Amino acid sequence: TSVGIYGAEGTGPYCAAKAAALGIMRCLFSEGVQHGILVNVIGPSANTRMTEEHLKGAYGEWLRKTMPPEKISVGAAYLMSEDCKVTGEIFTLGGGRVGRMLFAETDGIMGKGDSIEEVRDMMPRVMDDTNMFYPKELSERSARVAKLFGFSG
């Protein structure tokens, strides 16, 4: 799953499949929440046949020692348990670590939208990591962007 977001050289088809898993989770989360169905995605970090093939050297050795596949199962089991009330999230699991992966968007910079030069000049402020928001679903994102344009309906 991480590779679907961050990418990795030589893994285009694999990255596309992982990105698709994120997209379908977001759809299933929206559809399932009204029925009490919880949907999350796990981004595992573990030693597998694939990592053994691609990860050599000191990092590969560290990963093999630190990230056995069974260290993911406890987090996965919790996410499938009755105790878990979290839905629509991406969790990174590996080596006993549990993390939350987020999608964020900045408020952006409002321009006239009529020249390439304007966009070029706005880019440093667009790339600033302030004024971030973390929409959980499309309707939340759409409402925020509409508000930035002054829509209040």
Side-chain angles (χ1 to χ4, degrees):
T1 306
S2 298
V3 77
I5 292 173
Y6 299 115
E9 185 178 337
T11 61
Y14 183 74
C15 287
K18 291 296 190 169
L22 298 174
I24 195 70
M25 179 274 290
R26 301 301 297 173
C27 290
L28 293 173
F29 148 72
S30 294
E31 295 170 5
V33 72
Q34 60 197 356
H35 303 289
I37 299 170
L38 308 181
V39 182
N40 296 293
V41 165
I42 294 171
S45 294
N47 179 40
T48 65
R49 285 178 293 195
M50 184 176 72
T51 58
E52 284 183 8
E53 180 180 322
H54 293 288
L55 299 176
K56 307 290 184 196
Y59 180 78
E61 285 298 316
W62 172 84
L63 186 115
R64 283 185 273 292
K65 291 176 187 171
T66 309
M67 305 285 187
E70 55 271 16
K71 294 275 187 165
I72 293 169
S73 60
V74 176
Y78 169 75
L79 291 170
M80 293 184 287
S81 74
E82 295 290 325
D83 288 338
C84 181
K85 306 298 183 220
V86 180
T87 189
E89 298 291 343
I90 306 165
F91 292 99
T92 55
L93 305 175
R97 177 185 170 271
V98 179
R100 179 180 178 212
M101 189 178 286
L102 301 168
F103 287 109
E105 186 172 340
T106 64
D107 283 342
I109 306 300
M110 300 301 281
K112 295 177 184 175
D114 59 6
S115 77
I116 293 171
E117 293 78 14
E118 177 190 49
V119 174
R120 177 200 63 213
D121 295 344
M122 290 168 40
M123 264 312 135
R125 292 180 293 152
V126 168
M127 296 303 294
D128 185 13
D129 288 340
T130 58
N131 297 320
M132 304 286 273
F133 63 101
Y134 304 88
K136 183 96 173 179
E137 55 189 330
L138 181 60
S139 62
E140 185 180 338
R141 187 232 177 234
S142 298
R144 174 76 175 247
V145 172
K147 185 178 178 183
L148 291 170
F149 277 88
F151 180 76
S152 60

